[in-house]
Amino acid sequence: MAPLQAAHLGQYVDDCRTEIWYTLNMADNLPHLAIAGAARICAALLFLAGCGQAEPAIRIGFAGPFTGDQAAQGLDMLEGARLAVEEAVSRGGVLPGFRIELVPMDDQRNPAQAVSVAKRLAADPNVMVVVGHLNSSCTKPASAIYYEARLLHVNPVSSNPEISRQGFDTFFRVCATDDLQGPAGVRFALEELKAKRLFILDDMTTYGRGLANEFEKAARAQGLEILGHEGIAQGEKDFSPLLTKVKSLGPDLIYFAGMFPEGALLIKQKSELEIPAHFLGGDGLFEPTLITLATPRAAEGIYLTTLGADIRQVPSAQSFVRAFEAKHGHLGAYSSYAYEATRLALEAVRRAGRKDRAAVLAAMREIQEYDGILGVHTFDEKGDTTLRTIGIYTVRKGKFQFVQAAE
Amino acid sequence: MTAAELFLQQFINGLTIGSVYALIALGYTMVYGVIQLINFAHGEVFMVGAYLGLMVLLLLPPSPGGVLTALLAAGTGCALLGMLIERVAYRPLRRAPKLSVLITAIGVSFFLQNAMMLLWGAQDRYVPACFSPGRLGGGAVSITPMQAVIFAVSLFLMIALQLLIHRTPLGRAMRATAQDPLAARLVGIRVEGVVSSTFAIGSALAGVGGVLFGLHYSTINFHDGYLVGLKAFTAAVLGGIGNIPGAMAGGLLLGLLEGLGAGYLSTQWKNVFAFAVLVLVLLFRPRGLLGERVAERA
């Protein structure tokens, strides 16, 4: 009886928490909160008095996890989107007569929360485009809501191939997909690490399970021996029983498709149990916090595949990297994807020339050979980019180091 | 790795998390023993303890001395917090229906969760490693220094608690209050003081458990208290709620069941396995493994 009540109340409290969090964090700075509030009231009063020049707003929704264990990645992405909007505004705006507002929405990496956030964005007539979500498990159900609302949806990093196979003409994404990432990981494991006996782990999410299945399919096609494929739950912390079992089977490579909080604990506990196998992961591990959480000693020499080449080696991305680092000190792993997706979204609004969802969507369909920071994007009929590079990274001395790019 | 080594390793894995469950389960069972309240805020006290420990570890260099200070600070801080919660949230409702207190407990739990989120942020916090990542002993079975610390601290606290309950005047007063609060009052025991001490001791154990948990898994989050608290509550019920050795046994058993379930069956099914055993135990022994067979009072 009690846990049931707790669960219902829990949902309610989650909603309240989101509200509190916005109030406190979405104003740029806590001390400025009062000033910002006062300024907003003044603006409203001026508007009411009829002597203000407040322009109507075009809103860009940005959805991702800003609280919870994946907040580090979500907030780095939000900063990428912010930078894209700020640059567009400083260059004189996107549409004459309209100001651009970025609306951050926290999905807490929870699919149910993602749907509720998507509905709020879809119901706001000022929202012309949504950029987001991080997790495929959030992007997939949310994409259906944007489709029904005829709202352009540009996705930065959800790599599950099923999302674009749903037939939603509102969906576009700027990253490569897991039907490329899985096989690229297998090729690296086979050719560079000479692995023959594999154990596969995933986090049972749309992303993790999807990527792990692509990896397993490719590994079987190459004739590699799969000792087992098991799922772990997000939010779990103790993987030592599972890893002990893996150790007793003696694989020469452990593959994990999932996100960095669980990945870090797997890497740490694998090292504590002294399992001599290689560790290879997917792009969900590509986050510097992984190395801190796992400890640099345990993370040394792990490998991971990422969506796209090393951003620091792409010439077109250098001004972005400099601008971002000047502002935030460090570059988040997914910041560039969020920046790219937001810039594309703004480009669609600019080309549409008016505040109208159908026009923005039509304009996005016209964009071909878009010269972005990740490369030149052309979108196929499913909305996927033609950029299909997969990067391989390792950890050396507590830092991610680029190894090679695989097509 | 032979089958015997594999089993021993799984046994150690299960015992590690089981020790932490046991420390927290003690608080549930002690409070239930004296005032028949399921203190649903107890998991949150554990979480606050983890953050108190983190605070100390951020100030002091990561060393065994720093860990000892963190354990003491978290224990003391949580003892005070437990007494405060009892004084502010439960004592005014002592004569109210049991359900009101239960809802208040859930309210306290939400309050603590959100307070910690606002203080420390919603992100995972990293707890610095304080013990060398090596291992003790040779062979295929490994125990990390951190695991050894968890066993040692838990064992010490459980023995100390047993001595306190059975060898001190406070322990005698606690047992008397648990048997019959009215009679205890009649023979001159300050029952409110005993209840307060019970909250303090139970919360201190949870606080220590929180620090050990944070150190072992290296990350803590404001919502960690929920699941761990639920597991510890399960452990208390498994052992027989109100029974102190039962909570210790229940915690260790739940940890072992999870560990062996995950190791030999499947990780996906480990909670199913652990809770299926709970249901089975309760079917045959409705008062838990070590619970009394008959009702203590009408």
Side-chain angles (χ1 to χ4, degrees), chain A residues 17 237 241 244-245 274 293, chain B residues 10 13 113 135 219 224 263:
Chain A
R17 181 180 298 142
K237 297 207 166 178
T244 302
K245 180 168 105 179
E274 299 184 316
L293 295 177
Chain B
Q10 295 293 23
N13 296 337
Q113 271 198 28
R135 63 182 212 165
T219 58
D224 274 347

Side-chain angles (χ1 to χ4, degrees), chain A residues 9 13 17 24 68-69 75 204 230-231 236-238 240-242 244-245 247 265 268 272 274 292-293, chain B residues 9-10 13 113-114 117-118 122-124 126 135 140 216-219 222 224 259 263 265 267-268 270:
Chain A
L9 279 166
V13 166
R17 181 180 298 142
L24 291 179
D69 52 4
L75 291 170
M204 301 194 283
E230 279 216 36
E236 279 281 346
K237 297 207 166 178
D238 190 13
S240 48
L242 170 64
T244 302
K245 180 168 105 179
K247 183 184 183 183
L265 287 167
K268 181 165 182 266
E272 284 170 357
E274 299 184 316
T292 319
L293 295 177
Chain B
Q9 183 71 61
Q10 295 293 23
N13 296 337
Q113 271 198 28
N114 286 284
M117 184 197 75
L118 292 177
Q123 305 196 15
D124 274 19
Y126 168 63
R135 63 182 212 165
H216 188 49
Y217 296 117
S218 65
T219 58
F222 69 93
D224 274 347
L265 296 172
T267 322
Q268 276 129 295
K270 81 172 189 187

Side-chain angles (χ1 to χ4, degrees), chain A residues 243-262:
Chain A
L243 288 169
T244 302
K245 180 168 105 179
V246 171
K247 183 184 183 183
S248 73
L249 294 170
D252 44 27
L253 183 130
I254 297 172
Y255 183 76
F256 174 59
M259 302 301 286
F260 72 93
E262 290 78 27

